[in-house]
Amino acid sequence: MNTCSESSNRQLAHSLGTRLDRTFRDALEKRHFSGAGIFISRGDSFVFSREWGHDRWDGEPIEADTRFDLASLTKPLVTVPLVMAAAAKGMIGLDDTISRFFPAPPDKRDITIRHLLSHSSGLAPYRQFFYDLVGIPFDKRRDAMISMILDDPLDAMPGETASYSDLGYILLGAMLENIFDSRLDRLAARMLYAPLGLDELHFCPLRSGAPPESPPEILADRGKHLKYAAAEFCPWRKRLLVGEVSDENAWALGGLAGHAGLFGTVRGVSAMVGFLRDIYRGKIESDLLSREIVRLFWTRTGHPRGSTWALGFDTPRIVGSSAGRYFSQKSVGHLGFTGTSFWLDLDRDILVVLLTNRVHPSRENDALKKFRPVVHNRIMEVFNEI
């Protein structure tokens, strides 16, 4: 049953269209991105969706089926749900240490899955391992990456501070492949997306470990026939990235990693978040995930002190949140480096998916940091008025 009336939805859509058109056209003029798409729902009701701009400067118009490099949305849309599934099946415990899965050195033996999920492992945020990985045979890179992470000095003791870490999610992705004995893209398709009839989220795995400057060979043929928003011009690979993961560490791993590599549309992101929300609300039952496990993962941990992280999902900061001023503290969301995000207010059951290619043509463009909260404020102001 819809949570708002049909007439209210029409009124919302009209007001949102008027206000957001001005906002996005201004952002395009200021070259915050070449293209963007948004999807807004309340409860079970679709409210508003629209696209602006082009897939690259002077390119084709962005459409509803345009795929964006989702970057770190890979974490909450692939890695975290698969960890949820493994936990729900009793295959792992959140307080299992990584030494159960990897030959962890003494300084990392106390790192738990919970630490990795909540970005409190003490691992560094990021390392440019890809420079060394490209000199290693393609089929040995995954193990080499794990060794590099395990050998890398910690920035802090496990559980001491919250510091966002791609490295922790690379370990989680490898752990999932070991547990389920399958490649990450196949796990995502088989366990998450196929049961939902969802074909608008997918990886673009590479066929081989060609030199960085060589044109990529996409393993999935369909990847060549889909429409993608252009990402950055990569100075390392010396080409504009289109349908090819922007993150260099993920690229070196063949486009498959626990921290990045997923591509998708606004509808695809909203469908996956909506699936988790419906389990959280008790509206549906799933053989894969329980209501209790989703509720656990969507509750802010409170550890380390001052952290805004739940398990794999962020929650709004009181000041300076990308969600703006109006999303409640009982909200979950995530950002992607390429200019992607979603925020779900659990109190009001409002979901906003915002996808842009802000890294096009350069990742040095950071205007989206100020733009995101403005967009979310405009949206929530309309809801507050109607």
Side-chain angles (χ1 to χ4, degrees):
M1 187 164 127
N2 288 343
T3 59
C4 53
S5 70
E6 196 173 314
S7 61
S8 176
N9 275 350
R10 285 197 297 268
Q11 205 175 352
L12 282 166
H14 176 76
S15 295
L16 286 166
T18 300
R19 296 193 194 184
L20 292 180
D21 261 343
R22 290 196 297 265
T23 304
F24 277 85
R25 291 185 190 283
D26 180 61
L28 285 167
E29 287 179 8
K30 294 176 179 175
R31 298 180 76 87
H32 291 354
F33 40 73
S34 78
I38 202 164
F39 186 101
I40 304 168
S41 64
R42 182 166 66 176
D44 295 331
S45 298
F46 160 74
V47 174
F48 181 81
S49 180
R50 190 166 294 176
E51 300 79 41
W52 294 269
H54 297 79
D55 57 11
R56 67 193 76 190
W57 294 111
D58 301 321
E60 297 295 320
I62 293 287
E63 297 177 349
D65 63 351
T66 300
R67 266 72 173 170
F68 289 79
D69 180 345
L70 298 179
S72 282
L73 296 197
T74 304
K75 298 177 177 79
L77 300 180
V78 178
T79 307
V80 178
L82 289 174
V83 173
M84 287 181 183
K89 292 175 182 291
M91 301 172 76
I92 60 168
L94 297 184
D95 294 313
D96 288 348
T97 62
I98 63 171
S99 57
R100 176 185 163 189
F101 308 98
F102 309 113
D107 65 328
K108 299 179 181 69
R109 285 178 187 160
D110 292 334
I111 296 175
T112 65
I113 293 173
R114 193 185 301 272
H115 287 142
L116 297 178
L117 289 167
S118 61
H119 296 284
S120 59
S121 65
L123 291 167
Y126 172 74
R127 293 282 190 251
Q128 294 180 330
F129 290 134
F130 57 92
Y131 284 118
D132 293 324
L133 285 174
V134 295
I136 296 171
F138 190 58
D139 61 350
K140 298 185 184 305
R141 289 183 189 174
R142 177 183 173 277
D143 290 342
M145 173 68 92
I146 294 169
S147 295
M148 290 176 183
I149 294 172
L150 295 177
D151 289 342
D152 194 58
L154 290 176
D155 281 356
M157 294 299 293
E160 186 177 89
T161 61
S163 180
Y164 187 84
S165 175
D166 278 350
L167 305 190
Y169 274 77
I170 294 173
L171 290 182
L172 284 171
M175 180 194 76
L176 289 164
E177 290 184 326
N178 289 345
I179 290 171
F180 290 108
D181 192 25
S182 185
R183 216 170 60 185
L184 199 59
D185 60 327
R186 293 170 180 163
L187 289 174
R190 174 171 56 86
M191 296 178 65
L192 301 175
Y193 307 146
L196 298 175
L198 180 56
D199 63 358
E200 294 189 36
L201 295 176
H202 57 85
F203 286 89
C204 290
L206 304 175
R207 188 178 297 278
S208 66
E213 62 276 10
S214 300
E217 295 181 68
I218 304 298
L219 189 59
D221 288 339
R222 70 170 187 165
K224 300 176 183 177
H225 307 294
L226 298 176
K227 184 174 181 178
Y228 293 91
E232 65 187 303
F233 181 88
C234 177
W236 180 58
R237 284 168 273 186
K238 299 180 175 58
R239 60 178 172 272
L240 182 67
L241 306 181
V242 181
E244 177 184 0
V245 64
S246 181
D247 184 275
E248 296 94 341
N249 283 333
W251 182 91
L253 292 172
L256 300 173
H259 71 298
L262 191 68
F263 288 78
T265 66
V266 289
R267 290 183 306 223
V269 175
S270 65
M272 187 61 201
V273 177
F275 168 66
L276 295 173
R277 178 205 60 202
D278 288 347
I279 296 173
Y280 176 93
R281 294 288 187 205
K283 291 180 179 178
I284 63 172
E285 293 185 359
S286 168
D287 293 334
L288 185 69
L289 305 174
S290 67
R291 185 183 188 189
E292 291 72 27
I293 200 81
V294 177
R295 284 180 169 258
L296 172 64
F297 274 62
W298 280 7
T299 301
R300 186 185 287 190
T301 64
H303 303 288
R305 189 174 181 179
S307 173
T308 61
W309 284 97
L311 296 177
F313 295 81
D314 204 359
T315 64
R317 295 181 179 88
I318 294 176
V319 178
S321 172
S322 68
R325 298 192 302 271
Y326 301 111
F327 274 76
S328 74
Q329 285 297 293
K330 200 174 179 183
S331 299
V332 292
H334 210 288
L335 309 183
F337 180 79
T338 50
T340 58
S341 64
F342 69 83
W343 279 103
L344 171 62
D345 190 321
L346 294 168
D347 275 346
R348 302 178 67 180
D349 214 354
I350 295 172
L351 170 64
V352 178
V353 176
L354 170 63
L355 304 185
T356 79
N357 62 341
R358 73 98 192 161
V359 295
H360 176 65
S362 168
R363 65 175 61 182
E364 302 307 317
N365 176 12
D366 64 357
L368 195 68
K369 288 182 180 178
K370 293 182 179 179
F371 179 76
R372 270 195 189 111
V374 169
V375 169
H376 290 121
N377 286 342
R378 299 267 163 87
I379 292 168
M380 298 302 268
E381 284 164 1
V382 172
F383 276 102
N384 290 341
E385 292 167 8
I386 300 175

